[in-house]
Amino acid sequence: MIHLDHDIIIAPATATGGALCIIRLSGEGAIEMCDSLFRGKKRLAEAKGATLHYGYIMDGEQVVDDVVVSVFRAPHSYTGEDSIEISAHGSRYIANRIISLLTSRGARLAEAGEFTRRAFMSGKLDLSQAEAVADIIASDSRASHAIASTQMRGGYSEELRSLRDKLLHICSLLELELDFSEEDVEFADRQELSRLLNELLLKVRSLADSFSLGNALKHGVNVAIVGRPNVGKSTLLNRLIGEERAMVSEIAGTTRDSIEESVNIEGVIYRFIDTAGLHSTDDRLEQMGIERTWKALEKAHIILWIADSADRDIENDLCGFIPSPEQRIIHVINKIDLLAKEDQLTTENQDEKFIPISAKLGLGIDKLLAELHTIADATNALRGDVIVSSQRHYEALRKAQESLVRSLDGLHNGTPTDLLSEDIRQVMYHIGTITGEINSEDILKSIFSSFCIGK
Ligand code: GDP
């Protein structure tokens, strides 16, 4: 359980095994508590905020370790409280000993995410910024980092909060009208309300629409490599990931199971899935592989549909698969090296529908990667555009969008003021859950419990 109190909390902020270990301490009295163990040139209790102090952590007259202590004074610290960071040598023994010396003086071990929760409670971060802290720590590519970093710096929350405040103002005027219902007065400017609701709807819709991109870039873009047996799917996978992971063979049906490999290409994580070739077969094992291929197709963001340069009717050859509107297909013709020179040239000059490659010789792979990057639409994310990548925000945005549409309908159709104001309250509620103006113990618990200890 996360405690809502003013205890001094303590936790290691670094994983064990590194050269240094940092122990964090936060809460009123944290500086004095650390000072009682510290021996240096100057007393920490007298130190200014944002200063570093070299000295020893002492257990009585015994030196535990020589350390550098950072002192932060409220409100200029991560949590907004008096805080200390002790940089010691990276030994688990030293960390445990320092922590137990401080807990014996009254500090409590911090819960997961409790430092960030305190930062949220003291108004240092709003909720969406606090969530981005966890995303920053988890980010494993330039794209996922760029999305989290934009969100942590305020991203969309600033704009949403200001629109919500304006709406709150108009809504209170609407509700005032209810108190004077006998007198038929209008305090809230309906035109202004309509303009504001439309502005918010535009914003909310574009944020919600960015989610499928944000989610893919955060967790990796799924790319299924699909086609008939023997067209060169495994060879292409090996070429893309740069190693012999998938077995290549001339016997059709070699890839009986799907093989998944993640590769970071220019800042974006692509998860390539090499699938069993799609064809009819009596072999039970192969059938199972083909079933998995259909599943891989369903969860793919992008489908690389591979055909052999010797095949005819390439364009329509999707083996009965119907892609969803969000899925993008790249048609690839492989083995162009087997074509006569003049045919190779015609293939290369063909319109943009097919990308001619030779997986074996590495021809055309740059063009294929460029196409992947364009379709994954990573450029905007890498440029720092505001993109939603949190499932929680996406759901709140969708609900806000529904309430906005209802409010606008109500406004134009002359819905009674009390019902209209109820819909607008719903809009404000859902937006408020993103930025944290509306929060509940349950929401906070589920958000911060996914953090690591010490953050
Ligand atoms: P899969 O069944 O679709 O995974 O096909 P494989 O990757 O196992 O390849 C089938 C055969 O085609 C192997 O003998 C590969 O060496 C060969 N092959 C794959 N790509 C090329 C290519 O670009 N050019 C040529 N000449 N052969 C290729």
Side-chain angles (χ1 to χ4, degrees):
M1 198 191 99
I2 293 183
H3 306 255
L4 266 184
D5 53 36
H6 298 286
D7 291 351
I8 296 175
I9 51 171
I10 185 166
T14 44
T16 47
L20 294 178
C21 116
I22 295 176
I23 295 155
R24 260 183 161 173
L25 192 66
S26 182
E28 204 183 320
I31 299 171
E32 289 71 19
M33 185 185 277
C34 185
D35 200 24
S36 70
L37 301 176
F38 182 76
R39 191 177 290 166
K41 265 197 183 155
K42 185 173 181 176
R43 295 205 45 205
L44 299 178
E46 288 157 11
K48 286 196 179 134
T51 53
L52 295 177
H53 304 270
Y54 174 74
Y56 302 101
I57 294 290
M58 306 296 294
D59 184 358
E61 281 313 300
Q62 199 187 12
V63 175
V64 176
D65 196 15
D66 45 349
V67 296
V68 174
V69 176
S70 322
V71 173
F72 301 96
R73 292 201 174 270
H76 305 294
S77 70
Y78 181 68
T79 53
E81 305 168 329
D82 279 357
S83 301
I84 287 282
E85 284 175 17
I86 305 171
S87 292
H89 289 98
S91 134
R92 185 192 299 239
Y93 165 75
I94 293 173
N96 288 345
R97 192 137 166 230
I98 295 175
I99 289 172
S100 76
L101 282 168
L102 288 162
T103 49
S104 69
R105 278 167 173 71
R108 166 171 70 70
L109 286 175
E111 307 283 343
E114 198 171 358
F115 290 91
T116 308
R117 179 169 171 148
R118 286 192 174 187
F120 165 64
M121 290 314 224
S122 64
K124 295 287 247 184
L125 301 168
D126 71 24
L127 200 52
S128 96
Q129 288 173 308
E131 287 169 289
V133 172
D135 288 348
I136 285 259
I137 294 172
S139 65
D140 57 359
S141 67
R142 194 146 61 91
S144 58
H145 171 262
I147 294 173
S149 173
T150 309
Q151 188 178 327
M152 198 172 78
R153 266 157 255 296
Y156 38 89
S157 46
E158 193 55 52
E159 206 173 340
L160 283 181
R161 198 165 339 133
S162 116
L163 289 169
R164 184 179 182 273
D165 286 349
K166 287 184 199 159
L167 203 55
L168 187 66
H169 174 67
I170 296 200
C171 191
S172 52
L173 292 178
L174 267 183
E175 285 167 6
L176 197 61
E177 289 174 12
L178 296 173
D179 295 341
F180 294 86
S181 50
E182 310 285 286
E183 293 163 42
D184 195 21
V185 284
E186 257 191 29
F187 297 122
D189 179 342
R190 300 305 196 261
Q191 246 180 353
E192 171 64 9
L193 178 59
S194 167
R195 197 196 53 73
L196 193 59
L197 289 173
N198 274 308
E199 188 182 349
L200 203 50
L201 182 60
L202 215 63
K203 183 79 213 160
V204 162
R205 196 177 272 154
S206 91
L207 285 174
D209 287 349
S210 72
F211 175 69
S212 74
L213 168 65
N215 196 38
L217 292 178
K218 181 169 164 182
H219 299 291
V221 181
N222 290 332
V223 184
I225 305 177
V226 196
R228 294 192 185 283
N230 241 17
V231 291
K233 298 182 294 299
S234 304
T235 310
L236 177 60
L237 176 72
N238 289 335
R239 173 67 61 188
L240 290 168
I241 62 176
E243 59 179 81
E244 296 282 312
R245 168 74 171 80
M247 204 193 322
V248 177
S249 115
E250 284 174 30
I251 310 156
T254 318
T255 310
R256 295 197 150 158
D257 211 346
S258 303
I259 296 174
E260 249 183 68
E261 283 293 334
S262 297
V263 202
N264 185 329
I265 301 173
E266 287 179 32
V268 179
I269 304 265
Y270 290 96
R271 196 172 308 107
F272 291 108
I273 309 156
D274 178 16
T275 62
L278 285 170
H279 66 125
S280 49
T281 171
D282 293 333
D283 182 326
R284 182 67 200 120
L285 217 59
E286 258 195 84
Q287 280 173 351
M288 284 163 69
I290 290 171
E291 274 163 32
R292 288 208 189 90
T293 301
W294 286 106
K295 290 224 168 72
L297 274 173
E298 275 162 27
K299 70 170 190 178
H301 301 108
I302 300 175
I303 296 164
L304 290 187
W305 204 279
I306 320 290
D308 194 305
S309 60
D311 283 353
R312 304 190 174 275
D313 245 359
I314 293 165
E315 191 175 359
N316 300 318
D317 188 13
L318 292 186
C319 298
F321 175 71
I322 301 166
S324 74
E326 297 88 49
Q327 288 181 314
R328 296 291 303 274
I329 297 185
I330 303 179
H331 290 272
V332 178
I333 305 180
N334 190 28
K335 306 192 189 181
I336 54 158
D337 55 302
L338 295 182
L339 296 175
K341 269 276 170 286
E342 54 278 16
D343 286 343
Q344 273 188 29
L345 284 176
T346 7
T347 315
E348 275 161 28
N349 293 334
Q350 234 168 19
D351 59 54
E352 297 295 304
K353 276 193 191 135
F354 300 101
I355 298 192
I357 63 160
S358 166
K360 195 168 180 174
L361 304 186
L363 304 173
I365 302 296
D366 286 353
K367 195 160 172 224
L368 177 58
L369 289 179
E371 182 68 8
L372 270 179
H373 224 52
T374 311
I375 291 187
D377 200 11
T379 328
N380 293 348
L382 293 172
R383 209 177 43 205
D385 279 15
V386 170
I387 289 170
V388 173
S389 67
S390 148
Q391 182 79 35
R392 190 183 80 80
H393 295 184
Y394 173 69
E395 278 159 22
L397 287 164
R398 278 280 170 248
K399 287 182 193 149
Q401 192 178 331
E402 281 167 23
S403 309
L404 275 164
V405 170
R406 254 200 325 273
S407 308
L408 276 163
D409 279 353
L411 187 62
H412 297 138
N413 298 330
T415 299
T417 308
D418 52 345
L419 296 180
L420 180 61
S421 94
E422 183 48 41
D423 283 333
I424 296 176
R425 287 255 158 222
Q426 284 295 314
V427 175
M428 289 191 295
Y429 173 85
H430 294 303
I431 289 177
T433 61
I434 297 176
T435 47
E437 275 108 339
I438 305 288
N439 64 66
S440 70
E441 187 54 27
D442 285 348
I443 297 181
L444 296 184
K445 228 194 259 171
S446 91
I447 291 173
F448 289 105
S449 62
S450 67
F451 275 55
C452 40
I453 302 272
K455 191 66 227 178

